[in-house]
Amino acid sequence: MPLKFELCPGRMIGGSNPCFIIAEIGQNHQGDIEIAKKMIKMAKDCGADCAKFQKSELEYKFNKRALERPYTSKQSWGKTYGEHKRHLEFSHTQYVELQNYAKEVGIFFTASGMDEMAVEFLHELDVPFFKVGSGDTNNFPYLEKTAKKGRPMVISSGMQSMETMRRVYQTVKKHNQNFCILQCTSAYPLEAEDVNLRVIAEYQKEFPDIPIGYSGHESGVHISVAAVALGAKVIERHVTLDKSWKGSDHEASLEPSELTELVKAIRLVERSLGTSIKQMLPCEEPCHDKLGKSVVAKVAIPKGTVLSMDMLGVKVGEPKGVPPEDIYQLVGKSVTEDVEEDESITPDVVESYGKKIKLRKVKR
């Protein structure tokens, strides 16, 4: 059974615990704190477990030339990439305000620390867990420092190889037992052919003592639901209030109705996964009682006759008789009473059969 741990206060992940659903608000808030609050409330109302943002200390994430780079895309909020990012970056005070609002509406709150100084701030903010974005997954000094903080970690694996992910696992595990890895492909929006859900199973083999999840950037909800069916214990999806808004992430995000649909579908799939034990269930008994077949006599069989296969058939019988799977056990045994043609052969009329009809009832 995969490792279980407390990702947020009172909320376990892994094992048989419900999938933890992260609504990735990221920077889809347009730089407006009131929109950010609406999105937190939307995430809560749609049934997500956590509202997540992205926190950067820009001078630590980008060098000067990267910040000064002209940014003329239709998605831009400024003439340079630095101006664009500053428009979308909330201050420390605003993060405290958003955290308090999330607590007020009753949803967990965290952010991806996009550089080491952002992680320091989020640690001071006392977020329940650190999210490591794919862009920092191969940043081993960052991973080591973050792991040493002691908070649970959720690590996306976009743009990485299995060899790198083995190093990630070893690096983090050395300092922190409580982490999970998410299969992820860093394309926005993501085409189905590039999702590679089978990597979830490979991660489960490679890292059997940690939960595995999925961070998706595809359109719609079906692929993310399939990830849960394959064993994902954490699902992260970008969310938006309007896919037509300015910003490169909106097209790959879920609107409120889609997030609601995703949460409902995941909870339905979790219920349907059930147990790996195959047996007849109580809910199947009415069907068995009505249509379950029994061994019947093809011909009249006098008392004392030794049974052979040419005497036996299988039909829906009344009363219930010997179950069909035991028909070969009857051959060579004698009957202790006369059995009429087309009559059910019940266990009590077969010498040495000594078996009750097998209903295989399970405890409720």
Side-chain angles (χ1 to χ4, degrees), residues 275 277-293 320 323 325 357-364:
T275 175
I277 299 170
K278 183 57 184 172
Q279 57 191 338
M280 191 168 79
L281 298 174
C283 66
E284 296 178 292
E285 289 174 19
C287 185
H288 177 270
D289 293 342
K290 182 179 180 181
L291 297 175
K293 293 189 174 181
K320 281 281 183 285
E325 64 261 35
I357 296 176
K358 298 186 290 182
L359 292 179
R360 297 178 204 77
K361 292 184 179 180
V362 295
K363 293 182 180 179
R364 296 181 184 273

Side-chain angles (χ1 to χ4, degrees), residues 126-198:
D126 198 25
V127 295
F129 67 91
F130 293 129
K131 169 65 198 301
V132 178
S134 295
D136 279 303
T137 299
N138 61 350
N139 182 349
F140 289 97
Y142 166 102
L143 279 180
E144 192 167 16
K145 290 177 183 177
T146 302
K148 286 179 178 179
K149 298 291 186 187
R151 296 185 188 276
M153 296 170 65
V154 175
I155 305 170
S156 279
S157 61
M159 304 179 286
Q160 312 303 329
S161 66
M162 183 62 83
E163 181 181 355
T164 297
M165 294 313 299
R166 291 189 188 105
R167 286 186 61 196
V168 169
Y169 170 86
Q170 292 163 0
T171 299
V172 175
K173 192 77 173 177
K174 191 183 303 181
H175 306 289
N176 192 334
Q177 301 297 305
N178 296 330
F179 69 101
C180 69
I181 289 173
L182 310 184
Q183 162 57 0
C184 177
T185 303
S186 298
Y188 306 79
L190 174 61
E191 295 299 324
E193 293 78 9
D194 294 321
V195 171
N196 293 333
L197 286 181
R198 287 192 175 96

Side-chain angles (χ1 to χ4, degrees), residues 10-249:
R11 182 61 161 86
M12 300 290 291
I13 66 163
S16 61
N17 292 289
C19 178
F20 189 83
I21 302 172
I22 301 172
E24 164 68 299
I25 295 169
Q27 295 193 322
N28 280 353
H29 46 69
Q30 312 300 86
D32 185 322
I33 195 166
E34 294 307 316
I35 290 177
K37 289 179 179 178
K38 287 180 182 177
M39 296 184 76
I40 291 172
K41 183 65 163 54
M42 178 268 283
K44 169 65 177 178
D45 291 345
C46 293
D49 294 293
C50 180
K52 190 183 82 66
F53 290 77
Q54 295 174 5
K55 183 72 185 89
S56 299
E57 302 294 345
L58 296 180
E59 286 71 23
Y60 290 89
K61 180 179 180 181
F62 301 99
N63 69 11
K64 291 180 179 179
R65 289 187 65 180
L67 291 173
E68 293 168 356
R69 185 177 66 210
Y71 193 51
T72 57
S73 163
K74 65 178 182 179
Q75 312 292 1
S76 176
W77 292 95
K79 294 180 180 179
T80 66
Y81 199 64
E83 288 178 6
H84 167 76
K85 296 300 286 186
R86 287 186 186 96
H87 174 83
L88 294 170
E89 196 64 48
F90 289 136
S91 68
H92 290 193
T93 301
Q94 287 173 315
Y95 260 87
V96 172
E97 184 178 346
L98 291 173
Q99 184 185 50
N100 288 337
Y101 181 75
K103 189 178 299 183
E104 182 182 316
V105 302
I107 189 170
F108 293 118
F109 172 92
T110 194
S112 298
M114 309 299 277
D115 54 79
E116 290 181 15
M117 290 306 295
V119 170
E120 293 294 334
F121 165 67
L122 293 171
H123 187 56
E124 292 173 10
L125 195 63
D126 198 25
V127 295
F129 67 91
F130 293 129
K131 169 65 198 301
V132 178
S134 295
D136 279 303
T137 299
N138 61 350
N139 182 349
F140 289 97
Y142 166 102
L143 279 180
E144 192 167 16
K145 290 177 183 177
T146 302
K148 286 179 178 179
K149 298 291 186 187
R151 296 185 188 276
M153 296 170 65
V154 175
I155 305 170
S156 279
S157 61
M159 304 179 286
Q160 312 303 329
S161 66
M162 183 62 83
E163 181 181 355
T164 297
M165 294 313 299
R166 291 189 188 105
R167 286 186 61 196
V168 169
Y169 170 86
Q170 292 163 0
T171 299
V172 175
K173 192 77 173 177
K174 191 183 303 181
H175 306 289
N176 192 334
Q177 301 297 305
N178 296 330
F179 69 101
C180 69
I181 289 173
L182 310 184
Q183 162 57 0
C184 177
T185 303
S186 298
Y188 306 79
L190 174 61
E191 295 299 324
E193 293 78 9
D194 294 321
V195 171
N196 293 333
L197 286 181
R198 287 192 175 96
V199 173
I200 292 173
E202 290 304 306
Y203 280 161
Q204 289 167 338
K205 292 176 187 175
E206 286 279 343
F207 316 122
D209 58 347
I210 64 170
I212 302 301
Y214 174 68
S215 177
H217 306 124
E218 72 278 359
S219 299
V221 304
H222 300 92
I223 289 171
S224 294
V225 175
V228 176
L230 289 172
K233 302 302 183 182
V234 175
I235 291 289
E236 177 186 68
R237 288 298 304 271
H238 286 256
V239 297
T240 183
L241 295 179
D242 188 338
K243 291 184 184 182
S244 69
W245 279 355
K246 182 190 293 189
S248 56
D249 286 348

Side-chain angles (χ1 to χ4, degrees), residues 314-332:
V314 175
K315 291 185 179 182
V316 175
E318 183 62 40
K320 281 281 183 285
V322 172
E325 64 261 35
D326 288 349
I327 192 170
Y328 298 116
Q329 296 181 33
L330 302 182
V331 175

